[in-house]
Amino acid sequence: MSLAGRSNAVLRAGILRAADDRHVRRFMGRHGMRLGAGRFVAGETLDDCVVVLRRLAEQGLHANTTLLGESISDRDEAKAVADEYARILERLHAEQLPVNVALKLTHLGLELDEELAYANVERVVKVAERLQSFVRIDMEQSSVVDATLRIYRRLREAGHDRVGTVLQSYLFRTASDLEALLPLEPNLRFVKGAYLEPPEIAYTAKADVDAAYGRLVETALRGGAYAAIATHDEALIGRCLAFAERQGIPRDRFELQMLYGVRPRLQLDFVDRGYKVLVATPYGPEWYPYLMRRLAERPANLGFFVRNLVRR
């Protein structure tokens, strides 16, 4: 690994550890939005978020939204989160916005009880089906990958088609997970991975993560999956799009996904080229862990916060 690569890896690990530091969390909770968290998070309420989503739609962009939160430890609270997602879907439908939802199963009680999480997410998926919308089950840390994939498989085998999940290219296991899912003709988002995982189970070098990412997308497209290519890496996007063109894969078999606040000009450039681009646009008061993972994915974004801190 190059010196720059090692420096980025060290910085990334430091940022992710800071996500669990109560002092940093307290400071960011008080000042983070003023320091610039609003660049990456579409406000703390659904009303705030709808304003942003409408602006994205006017630019020709699709979106998903997420009520930020995870690791719920109370059954009633997990059920309330599922109820809120149903309300979000109803609001998006009423606003006639080209937006679906993405959610975390630990936010719906997965760490309490897998059956509870399944029941909660199925209720949300049924609402999405009624409204002709879609639910993306986000992937979280490696300890819940098996349970997440079991729940996704159960939903599909129960006849629910308006649901997809996520695969992370930095995990060694992901190629096998993809092969096991292909018979379902799944809708899959591909990401590099944003959690701090041990080197025994995950690639640490960017070149290895990127190579695995390209192989996964190509395998998915060859195997009949719908692929959401979720990265801001232009070289990697170019590789995936070139593969699709060579193989004659139509553009309705894949889309590009990027994060709200990250490379917005690039998002619009791809819209202008005729590609579907979806912007992940989360909101909610529990934005801190999400923000720290976004900074860890691209440590250069940390400079944005430092500059705003100096200007205070």
Side-chain angles (χ1 to χ4, degrees), residues 246-266:
R246 287 196 308 273
Q247 298 295 315
I249 295 167
R251 292 186 180 185
D252 62 3
R253 284 274 316 286
F254 62 88
E255 65 189 56
L256 304 179
Q257 293 194 359
M258 300 187 195
L259 298 171
Y260 175 63
V262 181
R263 307 201 68 181
R265 183 63 257 172
L266 182 64

Side-chain angles (χ1 to χ4, degrees), residues 20 43 72 86 112 131 144 157 185 209 247 250 256 259 281 286 296 303:
D20 296 322
I72 290 291
L112 280 170
L131 300 174
V144 297
E157 290 174 348
E185 297 184 353
V209 176
Q247 298 295 315
L256 304 179
L259 298 171
T281 311
E286 298 298 323

Side-chain angles (χ1 to χ4, degrees), residues 29-46:
R30 291 175 181 169
H31 307 293
M33 279 294 175
R34 291 198 302 276
L35 291 175
R39 172 176 168 176
F40 306 100
V41 179
E44 296 196 345
T45 70
L46 181 55

